Amino acid sequence: MRNLRNIRYNASLNGETITSTCWDPAKDEILCTFGPSDQDGHIRLVRISEHVRASSIDIECQEIASWDAPSPNPDLAVDRVINAHHFSDTLTTCLVLEGGDIVIVQESESLNPQDGVHIEIMGSIDEGITAASWSPDEELLAITTKANTAVFMSRGFDGITDMTLTADDLKESKHVSVGWGKKETQFQGRGAKALRDPTIPEKVDQGVLSPNDDGSTTISWRGDGAYVAINSVETGIRRVIRVYSRDGVLDSVSEPVDGMEGALSWRPAGNLMAGIQRLEDRVDVIFFERNGLRHGQFSLKAPEDRSLAKDQIRLEWNSDSTVLAVTLDDRIQLWTMGNYHWYLKEEILTQKRPHCFTWHSEKPLRFASAISGKLLLAEYIFEITRGSLTPPYDYGAVAVVDGKTLKLTPFRTANVPPPMSFFEIETSSPIIDVAFSPANTFLAVLHQFGVDVYEWRINGQRSMRPSLIGSVTFTRSNTDEDYTPLQIAVTENSVVHCLGFDKAPVIQSHPFDRNTGQFSSNTSIHAGSMFGFVRLTQAGSTDVLAQDCLGKLHGVVNLEDEIYSTRLPVQLPWSEVIDLAGNVIAVGLSRNGHLYANSRLLLKNCTSFLVTPAHLIITTTNHLVKFIHLVDNVDNLEVPPDDPENDERCRSIERGARLVTATPTNMSLILQMPRGNLETIYPRAMVVAGIRQLIDAKDYGKAYSHCRTQRVDMNILYDNRPQQFLGNVGLFLDQLDDVSYIDLFLSSLRDEDVTQTMYKDTRGVRNQEAPEIISSEAAASVPEGSSKVNTICDAVLSHLQSRKHKDHDTLQNIITANVCKVPPAYEDGLLVVATLMQEDEQLAEKAVEHICFLADVNTLYDEALGLYHLDLALLVAQQSQRDPREYLPFIQNLHQLSELRRKFAIDDHLSRHEKALAHLQTLQAHQEAHGYTAKHALYATALKLYRYDQRNLTILTGLYAIHLESKSRFREAGLAYESLHDYAAATRCYRAAGTTCWRECLFTAQQQTPALTPDAFTDLASALAEALFEAKDYASAATIHLDYLNSLETAISNLCKGYHFADAMRLASLRGRPELLVSAVDPGLADALGSTTEFFADCKAQLRAQVPRIAELRRKAAEDPLGFYEGERGGGVDLPDDVSVAASSRVSTSASLFTRYTGKQGSVGTAGTGVSRATSKNRKREEKKRARGRKGTVYEEEYLVNSVRRLVERVEGTRADVERLVFGLTRRGMHERARALEGLAAEVVEACKVSVKEVFVGAGEKGKGQGEEEGREGGENGEGEWRPMGADAVLLENLEAAWRKQEPPKITGLERLSLLGS
């Protein structure tokens, strides 16, 4: 689908005949030789270079050297340059002359090329030379002589090997043709020809020479330099192509071909050799394989005014094997192949026969051609000529040039694979360039003799054949004789601009009247260094832009050179200009794949691009197609990452695929594969963007159609604009206008906002500026307490039920809307069916079939029974796979019951026990209700139903109490028994409930009738007091001893045990027992003082041991993190200084952070052991190690820090008890003990404060910031996604543990007594 388009053209005129040319690829300059000739035996070597300026491209000629070259052979009147080759590394040019001399010219590195030039004849072949060619690697020179020999020389011109070209070589080839690809091998029906041996052709070529054969010899190397082909005439036999290896060994010879001539060019890719076969009625380019067998051909297209019978034809492949140049007597043809069809892409008129044609070795489509008195320099690019991509003008129009035929295909109408096309337009001469107007209104075709303008016509959505509305012919009156047209552009206001070369680049303007087809007189301006027109993406634009060789953009619409402020950094052959609300963005692609937007480099591996109103679409060398959202600011253009699995803006494509065109209206993208075949895809980014636009335009019908055909989740129809959808439900239903479409939409709903998940809008500006607006709109559209699905279903139901006439389709949609709710509203759907049963039984049956299709039949059967509608249940059961013997007897039995008993039976059958119990109460079947309540544990429901029936309420409460006691819910059971005045059972339950109900237990024990004996009550109180003492509720235990057991001493002892010394002393004074202060209170104080002192001593010892150890561990980790986490290495191996602490891969062949705890010396990681540790068993083992925190492991620090935290929290928790103890000691006159305890406590509290500062150094803020920073780094480097498993995960959790980020524990100072003087 690609055409050749000229981007650089220049011609040097000096009147002398150029005898040979070669490129200097390092300087991008051409070297030419002049002479020798009949008049002058001199040879001049000249270097020709181009200087690009803003106003022009100038050609400079510098003579390098000149010398006499008389013919050394008397049979040769004038010597001739056969081959010229330049070595850029040594600034040396090698010339091979027909007389046999091999001359080198070595230039100096000075500014003046003539200074220090060295000319030397490196050798001479006496017999004379017929052909010569250097290998592609510039290491071998192949020469054929007039003595029918071939010589291989090294770069130092030392002979490597020589071969004699004899007739015996023709016997060496043993290749046999089996007729592959021949017409004779194809099936021809049942005739006699089908019985022939297909391997024997009807006519066998004998190798008859062409009458125009000049007897020349041609040498051509394969692209890798491994083989060389020599095309020569074997005298008296035939013309033959010999293939030699690099070592001079004959590999094969060609099969005989009648009329084959001397032209030969081996395709650099290596698969084919091209030659010429001249037949009676045509001239073919024929192809050979390396084994010498034919492999296809194509016929050259002759000019209309003459034949090719006398032309001397030469062939040249370009460096990347994409273009075959065919030089004729008055023109140069450039042929390309796609999908096994040969296209004539360009025909350059030269008026005279080119003496030589040379492709650039590094720029594949740049060449130089020497014509009599003129040197032609040109460069082309492959470009797809496509129409507008802006809806509604995006017809997908693509034009393909093939000689005089223009192949047109509107891909929106039909996808016709090449070489076929939808339309074909014939012109009067070979086509040079084609252009569409920005809105696809006009099609301008530039050919050698003029311009044809066509109008693009459509019929509805179908493109019709373009109609010719006007033509202009180039004549000497309006163009110079040497004028060469190069490019064309056409605007929407009926003006054709033509870029050509007439001694300098010029742009001609040809206005025309679209109604009459008449062209006005043309005007022209000097084009300077402008090399081509720039494509405009805005459909309504009337501008014409051209780009110069410096990357500047020029507006030439009014033949005034207006320079734009927007520009590209360098000359970019493929470029387009985008106008976004007045912001102009120029997008350009360089030859090496660099894509620019203005001066910003977007990416470096682009292979093709195109621009739609919403996206910049590109393909990359990684075989991906990417979509870049267009925004006003170039700096905000975001290139998506190479993540086709997760990013809708990226998609994998076939290797080597290129963009052809796009049709946003159809949301399709057309790609061409390297072989030439086409593929149409529907990228998710284009599809979703198109659906969003249709939703915004309230075109729900088309949006739904695209969702259905492209398998897009239909929730987007609501989620993209929730409020708009709810306000236009009627419009939505009318546009769908199909019951099955509405059902499909309703059944696809789910409570997920797909615009925030799978179809998240990837436009950067919208994501940054409007997420709150979108979320608030979605939240406002869904009522509180309701789901999205129910909101939509209710809206649809409201509109459907408001219709006056409800046909079958409407009722079907109503049923679907009810069933699709969350949870499904089966009852509402069945009620619709029940209503239909009374109106139309046939509709009812169809409705039942539909609802049974949507939901489980068994569930619907139960729901129908739950409606107590037996006929409906029977109708639903008939749609199921149930055996009628199962449900018919059951339904018949229900018919025989009374209404309430029937409802009870149905609810009991459906396990709706609460409703069944209510029916029993209504039936006054109280005894049965009691049993039913106990059977199904419906006590709460029963108590509610019988709250005003005291008799039954008492019975049910007793049953409930027994049930609670059986379930060990003793507290509630005791309450139930107490409400029934069963105090003995209540006492039993309260006692079983534990220490929390000791007050209720003692109360109910005293309320029993008959009352408990004193001994029994004392035993009960003693047991409760012991339980409270064991539970460390010393105050409650003291209360029982004091109030119920009359044991003052024990009560005071319990109070002292709980550090309630003030209450203990108060009771001793209240009961008049002052001696207890000495016998009970003072010993309690002493015991408390001893335990507290021991606790503080242990705290001090623990702090002295653990805090320094934590500091030591942290110091080791900071000084040598690798050694700390990995452990010591044996053998005294030095640690490398470039090892990163962070593990960068899941599999590593070097030691990682997760090898220390394996206990293996010299472990080399996962790849070395070959055993995966990502197992649950290893994880559990590692968690145990982490919990123990054994000394010397990586978990020791975590264990110690947590231990210090617990110690500080315990010290803080004992502060109130210590203060009460100090106060009690002081009241009892134990001042020294109180003072000592107060000092010890203050010392421990101070030590805790110091430890907190040392151990928890800004843990909260530091941990938080560090975590965020590490998270950002992981996200930027792309390594944050991998998470270790098994034992590795335990260590990582330790490294990222929450204890590193928690706030430090709080410790407050002890309130000291001033009375103690401390």
Side-chain angles (χ1 to χ4, degrees):
M1 305 297 288
R2 299 184 299 173
N3 299 323
L4 284 176
R5 195 178 199 193
N6 185 277
I7 61 168
R8 195 167 183 176
Y9 189 94
N10 214 333
S12 173
L13 303 172
N14 56 6
E16 296 186 58
T17 300
I18 300 175
T19 55
S20 67
T21 58
C22 63
W23 284 97
D24 179 0
K27 297 181 179 180
D28 195 20
E29 296 175 351
I30 191 79
L31 289 99
C32 302
T33 59
F34 296 90
S37 63
D38 296 336
Q39 295 79 20
D40 188 1
H42 272 69
I43 296 178
R44 291 195 304 123
L45 180 63
V46 177
R47 179 180 290 271
I48 299 177
S49 59
E50 289 183 304
H51 298 284
V52 178
R53 298 179 176 86
S55 59
S56 63
I57 301 178
D58 300 330
I59 292 181
E60 179 184 3
C61 299
Q62 291 182 328
E63 182 175 321
I64 298 175
S66 64
W67 65 95
D68 288 333
S71 173
N73 193 333
D75 296 333
L76 183 65
V78 180
D79 211 346
R80 180 171 61 93
V81 179
I82 290 179
N83 177 267
H85 187 83
H86 182 77
F87 299 94
S88 299
D89 53 348
T90 59
L91 296 178
T92 301
T93 304
C94 175
L95 302 180
V96 180
L97 305 181
E98 184 180 0
D101 292 339
I102 301 175
V103 182
I104 64 167
V105 180
Q106 187 171 10
E107 305 174 50
S108 66
E109 297 182 359
S110 62
L111 297 178
N112 188 357
Q114 294 182 347
D115 295 343
V117 175
H118 176 70
I119 304 174
E120 182 179 357
I121 299 177
M122 301 303 297
S124 181
I125 297 177
D126 297 337
E127 296 84 355
I129 298 175
T130 56
S133 178
W134 283 92
S135 63
D137 59 0
E138 299 181 338
E139 294 296 330
L140 286 180
L141 173 62
I143 296 176
T144 58
T145 69
K146 295 181 179 180
N148 284 336
T149 60
V151 180
F152 286 3
M153 293 184 180
S154 67
R155 184 165 175 175
F157 302 100
D158 297 325
I160 296 178
T161 183
D162 59 89
M163 302 80 68
T164 301
L165 309 180
T166 65
D168 294 338
D169 294 340
L170 276 64
K171 303 176 183 178
E172 294 295 328
S173 178
K174 298 181 177 61
H175 302 296
V176 177
S177 174
V178 295
W180 180 90
K182 297 283 188 175
K183 179 182 179 182
E184 292 81 2
T185 63
Q186 309 304 313
F187 178 69
Q188 300 178 10
R190 296 183 178 181
K193 291 184 178 180
L195 302 178
R196 293 179 60 256
D197 185 354
T199 63
I200 301 177
E202 295 180 359
K203 177 181 179 298
V204 178
D205 286 356
Q206 301 298 323
V208 178
L209 290 176
S210 168
N212 295 331
D213 197 319
D214 57 1
S216 63
T217 301
T218 308
I219 301 176
S220 182
W221 287 86
R222 200 170 75 171
D224 59 358
Y227 293 92
V228 61
I230 301 176
N231 185 355
S232 62
V233 176
E234 189 62 37
T235 306
I237 303 178
R238 64 181 174 92
R239 180 173 283 278
V240 62
I241 299 176
R242 295 175 172 86
V243 177
Y244 290 93
S245 69
R246 191 179 180 90
D247 298 325
V249 178
L250 180 63
D251 182 72
S252 64
V253 295
S254 64
E255 62 177 282
V257 177
D258 292 343
M260 187 172 72
E261 297 187 353
L264 176 68
S265 181
W266 200 331
R267 193 179 188 205
N271 58 338
L272 296 174
M273 293 178 285
I276 290 295
Q277 181 185 22
R278 195 180 299 270
L279 302 174
E280 294 180 359
D281 57 342
R282 70 183 190 274
V283 176
D284 288 349
V285 175
I286 58 176
F287 298 103
F288 294 89
E289 298 177 8
R290 197 196 81 192
N291 57 18
L293 298 181
R294 288 278 299 272
H295 188 105
Q297 67 280 324
F298 70 90
S299 299
L300 292 176
K301 296 181 180 181
E304 289 186 354
D305 54 348
R306 65 179 185 84
S307 67
L308 301 178
K310 303 297 182 181
D311 286 53
Q312 295 184 11
I313 304 174
R314 291 292 179 263
L315 304 175
E316 283 292 337
W317 283 101
N318 70 331
S319 61
D320 65 353
S321 306
T322 56
V323 179
L324 177 63
V326 181
T327 60
L328 307 177
D329 281 355
D330 61 347
R331 66 196 63 209
I332 300 171
Q333 293 182 346
L334 303 180
W335 292 80
T336 66
M337 193 267 287
N339 224 10
Y340 306 107
H341 175 78
W342 285 91
Y343 297 86
L344 176 56
K345 290 297 183 182
E346 197 76 24
E347 186 172 282
I348 306 168
L349 288 178
T350 59
Q351 307 299 333
K352 299 179 182 179
R353 184 170 63 85
H355 294 288
C356 55
F357 183 94
T358 309
W359 288 104
H360 198 290
S361 60
E362 295 181 358
K363 295 181 179 180
L365 298 178
R366 182 163 169 78
F367 66 84
S369 179
I371 308 166
S372 179
K374 181 171 66 173
L375 177 66
L376 178 64
L377 300 174
E379 184 174 5
Y380 288 80
I381 60 171
F382 278 114
E383 185 175 46
I384 294 176
T385 305
R386 62 177 69 93
S388 175
L389 304 184
T390 304
Y393 312 111
D394 54 333
Y395 310 125
V398 175
V400 180
V401 175
D402 187 10
K404 299 178 183 179
T405 303
L406 182 65
K407 299 176 180 290
L408 289 172
T409 300
F411 282 96
R412 202 170 86 182
T413 300
N415 190 334
V416 181
M420 298 179 291
S421 62
F422 202 71
F423 306 120
E424 287 190 0
I425 297 176
E426 296 294 333
T427 59
S428 59
S429 61
I431 300 171
I432 298 174
D433 193 25
V434 184
F436 291 89
S437 62
N440 230 112
T441 306
F442 301 110
L443 169 66
V445 181
L446 175 66
H447 52 90
Q448 292 176 352
F449 298 156
V451 177
D452 296 338
V453 179
Y454 295 83
E455 183 178 12
W456 193 272
R457 298 183 301 116
I458 60 173
N459 184 8
Q461 295 296 322
R462 183 181 180 87
S463 295
M464 308 300 291
R465 176 182 292 274
S467 59
L468 180 65
I469 61 174
S471 299
V472 61
T473 302
F474 299 143
T475 61
R476 293 189 177 183
S477 59
N478 59 9
T479 60
D480 189 82
E481 183 178 357
D482 294 330
Y483 177 76
T484 303
L486 301 174
Q487 287 191 23
I488 195 171
V490 59
T491 64
E492 289 297 325
N493 56 352
S494 307
V495 180
V496 174
H497 291 76
C498 182
L499 173 64
F501 187 86
D502 182 10
K503 298 180 181 179
V506 294
I507 295 178
Q508 295 183 352
S509 176
H510 301 273
F512 67 92
D513 188 343
R514 63 182 302 179
N515 297 320
T516 63
Q518 298 296 322
F519 279 80
S520 305
S521 59
N522 68 305
T523 55
S524 63
I525 62 170
H526 177 67
S529 65
M530 303 178 199
F531 68 87
F533 296 113
V534 179
R535 178 183 173 87
L536 299 172
T537 60
Q538 190 176 9
S541 176
T542 58
D543 295 335
V544 177
L545 296 183
Q547 184 184 176
D548 62 19
C549 292
L550 301 178
K552 296 180 181 179
L553 300 179
H554 301 256
V556 295
V557 63
N558 296 320
L559 294 180
E560 297 178 358
D561 190 356
E562 177 186 357
I563 299 179
Y564 278 52
S565 59
T566 301
R567 61 164 297 174
L568 295 167
V570 291
Q571 171 190 350
L572 300 178
W574 300 273
S575 56
E576 294 191 25
V577 172
I578 312 166
D579 189 351
L580 298 174
N583 296 319
V584 178
I585 300 176
V587 180
L589 176 64
S590 66
R591 298 177 185 84
N592 57 359
H594 290 194
L595 183 68
Y596 290 88
N598 292 349
S599 59
R600 179 193 170 192
L601 177 63
L602 293 179
L603 72 164
K604 296 182 178 181
N605 61 341
C606 180
T607 57
S608 63
F609 78 95
L610 54 81
V611 181
T612 67
H615 299 101
L616 168 59
I617 308 174
I618 60 175
T619 57
T620 69
T621 55
N622 295 333
H623 321 301
L624 299 171
V625 59
K626 295 185 177 183
F627 294 81
I628 302 175
H629 293 291
L630 293 179
V631 294
D632 297 342
N633 192 345
V634 173
D635 296 331
N636 291 335
L637 291 176
E638 180 183 357
V639 180
D642 294 352
D643 189 11
E645 290 81 9
N646 301 318
D647 197 330
E648 69 172 16
R649 298 172 296 172
C650 184
R651 170 173 172 158
S652 298
I653 56 176
E654 187 175 332
R655 181 183 297 272
R658 304 290 181 93
L659 295 168
V660 175
T661 188
T663 55
T665 300
N666 290 351
M667 306 174 191
S668 63
L669 193 65
I670 294 89
L671 301 169
Q672 186 170 30
M673 306 305 117
R675 186 174 64 85
N677 56 307
L678 300 179
E679 180 180 347
T680 301
I681 62 174
Y682 297 84
R684 187 64 69 191
M686 286 187 71
V687 171
V688 174
I691 291 174
R692 289 194 187 106
Q693 292 178 0
L694 292 173
I695 293 173
D696 293 342
K698 299 182 182 179
D699 192 350
Y700 289 104
K702 288 186 179 179
Y704 175 88
S705 177
H706 287 298
C707 288
R708 185 166 172 266
T709 55
Q710 300 302 326
R711 302 184 66 84
V712 176
D713 195 309
M714 293 186 183
N715 284 271
I716 194 175
L717 297 174
Y718 169 84
D719 293 334
N720 191 67
R721 288 289 183 265
Q723 289 285 13
Q724 174 182 301
F725 181 89
L726 294 178
N728 295 274
V729 174
L731 176 64
F732 172 79
L733 297 177
D734 293 340
Q735 289 183 354
L736 263 59
D737 195 27
D738 189 292
V739 59
S740 60
Y741 289 175
I742 299 174
D743 285 349
L744 180 60
F745 168 73
L746 293 173
S747 60
S748 302
L749 295 175
R750 66 179 187 275
D751 285 325
E752 176 189 346
D753 188 354
V754 296
T755 60
Q756 301 300 318
T757 54
M758 65 173 66
Y759 304 131
K760 188 173 182 179
D761 197 341
T762 52
R763 285 178 290 183
V765 175
R766 178 170 180 177
N767 288 342
Q768 294 173 6
E769 297 181 359
E772 300 175 351
I773 299 176
I774 296 174
S775 60
S776 62
E777 179 183 354
S781 62
V782 179
E784 185 176 357
S786 178
S787 66
K788 181 190 83 174
V789 176
N790 292 348
T791 301
I792 299 173
C793 289
D794 289 339
V796 173
L797 282 171
S798 175
H799 189 273
L800 292 176
Q801 291 171 351
S802 64
R803 294 180 178 178
K804 295 181 180 180
H805 175 67
K806 297 183 179 65
D807 55 6
H808 171 259
D809 294 345
T810 302
L811 294 174
Q812 179 175 320
N813 292 147
I814 291 175
I815 293 173
T816 305
N818 283 302
V819 174
C820 291
K821 286 186 177 182
V822 180
Y826 294 127
E827 292 188 3
D828 295 336
L830 290 171
L831 287 175
V832 175
V833 179
T835 305
L836 283 176
M837 291 178 64
Q838 301 175 358
E839 300 175 356
D840 190 335
E841 292 185 359
Q842 292 183 351
L843 285 180
E845 291 180 1
K846 292 183 179 179
V848 167
E849 291 179 1
H850 179 66
I851 196 172
C852 290
F853 169 76
L854 295 175
D856 180 56
V857 179
N858 296 324
T859 303
L860 290 173
Y861 174 72
D862 293 341
E863 292 292 337
L865 280 178
L867 294 174
Y868 314 118
H869 198 306
L870 299 183
D871 294 339
L872 178 61
L874 180 61
L875 190 61
V876 172
Q878 291 173 352
Q879 298 295 326
S880 67
Q881 300 297 323
R882 292 189 176 192
D883 189 347
R885 291 175 296 181
E886 296 179 8
Y887 60 83
L888 281 179
F890 176 71
I891 294 178
Q892 290 173 356
N893 292 334
L894 291 177
H895 273 293
Q896 297 174 2
L897 300 177
S898 63
E899 183 179 358
L900 287 176
R901 180 58 67 175
R902 185 190 307 130
K903 291 182 179 180
F904 167 76
I906 291 174
D907 289 331
D908 182 59
H909 173 75
L910 298 177
S911 299
R912 301 193 298 192
H913 303 300
E914 294 182 359
K915 286 187 176 183
L917 182 61
H919 295 316
L920 289 177
Q921 189 219 16
T922 307
L923 287 170
Q924 301 295 319
H926 303 304
Q927 190 67 31
E928 187 178 356
H930 298 164
Y932 197 80
T933 300
K935 179 181 179 181
H936 298 290
L938 303 173
Y939 298 103
T941 305
L943 292 175
K944 182 178 180 181
L945 290 173
Y946 287 97
R947 69 176 63 179
Y948 301 115
D949 188 347
Q950 189 61 42
R951 178 174 173 275
N952 290 300
L953 181 62
T954 301
I955 297 173
L956 291 171
T957 304
L959 293 174
Y960 189 31
I962 296 172
H963 172 75
L964 291 173
E965 188 174 5
S966 67
K967 296 296 183 182
S968 299
R969 296 167 61 182
F970 298 110
R971 188 170 182 272
E972 297 179 53
L975 180 60
Y977 282 124
E978 187 177 358
S979 65
L980 296 174
H981 303 292
D982 188 353
Y983 295 110
T987 302
R988 181 180 67 252
C989 290
Y990 282 138
R991 183 175 181 181
T995 57
T996 58
C997 296
W998 65 272
R999 296 175 179 84
E1000 293 84 352
C1001 182
L1002 293 174
F1003 169 76
T1004 55
Q1006 290 178 330
Q1007 297 297 321
Q1008 292 184 25
T1009 304
L1012 288 177
T1013 62
D1015 292 339
F1017 186 79
T1018 301
D1019 291 342
L1020 176 63
S1022 299
L1024 291 173
E1026 291 177 4
L1028 290 169
F1029 187 84
E1030 292 295 332
K1032 297 185 179 181
D1033 190 356
Y1034 301 112
S1036 298
T1039 302
I1040 293 177
H1041 281 291
L1042 182 64
D1043 295 341
Y1044 295 98
L1045 299 178
N1046 296 321
S1047 177
L1048 182 60
E1049 293 84 354
T1050 306
I1052 292 176
S1053 177
N1054 286 340
L1055 290 172
C1056 292
K1057 189 70 175 177
Y1059 286 77
H1060 300 291
F1061 302 107
D1063 289 337
M1065 288 187 282
R1066 181 183 63 81
L1067 288 178
S1069 175
L1070 178 64
R1071 299 300 177 90
R1073 298 284 300 276
E1075 69 277 5
L1076 292 178
L1077 295 174
V1078 178
S1079 60
V1081 175
D1082 290 348
L1085 287 169
D1087 292 342
L1089 177 62
S1091 61
T1092 303
T1093 303
E1094 183 180 358
F1095 167 70
F1096 282 144
D1098 291 342
C1099 291
K1100 290 176 62 177
Q1102 183 176 342
L1103 291 175
R1104 291 194 192 100
Q1106 292 181 344
V1107 174
R1109 178 60 179 170
I1110 293 173
E1112 180 183 0
L1113 292 174
R1114 290 179 175 174
R1115 185 179 65 256
K1116 288 182 178 180
E1119 292 175 353
D1120 185 12
L1122 186 62
F1124 177 77
Y1125 289 107
E1126 297 287 347
E1128 298 295 334
R1129 283 180 170 81
V1133 180
D1134 295 335
L1135 291 178
D1137 57 0
D1138 59 348
V1139 177
S1140 173
V1141 176
S1144 60
S1145 175
R1146 180 67 185 93
V1147 178
S1148 175
T1149 57
S1150 60
S1152 67
L1153 286 179
F1154 308 119
T1155 57
R1156 180 183 182 193
Y1157 53 82
T1158 59
K1160 297 180 182 179
Q1161 294 294 330
S1163 175
V1164 293
T1166 305
T1169 61
V1171 179
S1172 174
R1173 293 170 292 167
T1175 62
S1176 176
K1177 182 177 179 181
N1178 286 341
R1179 181 181 178 90
K1180 291 180 179 179
R1181 184 186 300 116
E1182 204 64 26
E1183 286 175 347
K1184 291 180 181 178
K1185 291 182 180 180
R1186 180 182 179 187
R1188 288 194 296 267
R1190 184 171 57 85
K1191 186 174 182 179
T1193 64
V1194 291
Y1195 306 119
E1196 182 184 0
E1197 181 187 359
E1198 178 186 8
Y1199 178 83
L1200 294 177
V1201 171
N1202 290 334
S1203 178
V1204 172
R1205 178 184 294 278
R1206 290 192 298 270
L1207 184 146
V1208 173
E1209 291 173 350
R1210 286 181 60 194
V1211 171
E1212 177 66 17
T1214 59
R1215 183 175 59 85
D1217 292 342
V1218 172
E1219 289 178 353
R1220 289 198 297 269
L1221 177 57
V1222 170
F1223 199 80
L1225 290 172
T1226 304
R1227 291 182 63 187
R1228 293 298 299 154
M1230 304 176 187
H1231 296 283
E1232 291 301 328
R1233 296 184 181 181
R1235 192 176 292 108
L1237 177 61
E1238 195 176 54
L1240 179 60
E1243 183 179 350
V1244 172
V1245 169
E1246 187 63 27
C1248 288
K1249 290 182 179 180
V1250 174
S1251 300
V1252 167
K1253 293 180 180 179
E1254 295 180 358
V1255 175
F1256 306 94
V1257 184
E1261 297 180 0
K1262 179 181 179 181
K1264 180 178 180 181
Q1266 182 178 0
E1268 293 176 351
E1269 183 177 356
E1270 292 175 354
R1272 288 192 297 269
E1273 292 178 356
E1276 292 173 357
N1277 298 333
E1279 300 175 356
E1281 297 180 0
W1282 175 80
R1283 300 291 296 179
M1285 301 173 63
D1288 293 353
V1290 177
L1291 179 57
L1292 184 63
E1293 289 173 4
N1294 172 69
L1295 297 176
E1296 299 178 351
W1299 60 270
R1300 297 179 182 270
K1301 306 171 186 178
Q1302 290 178 356
E1303 292 292 333
K1306 295 182 180 180
I1307 183 72
T1308 56
L1310 184 67
E1311 186 178 352
R1312 311 185 70 167
L1313 292 177
S1314 59
L1315 182 62
L1316 296 177
S1318 57

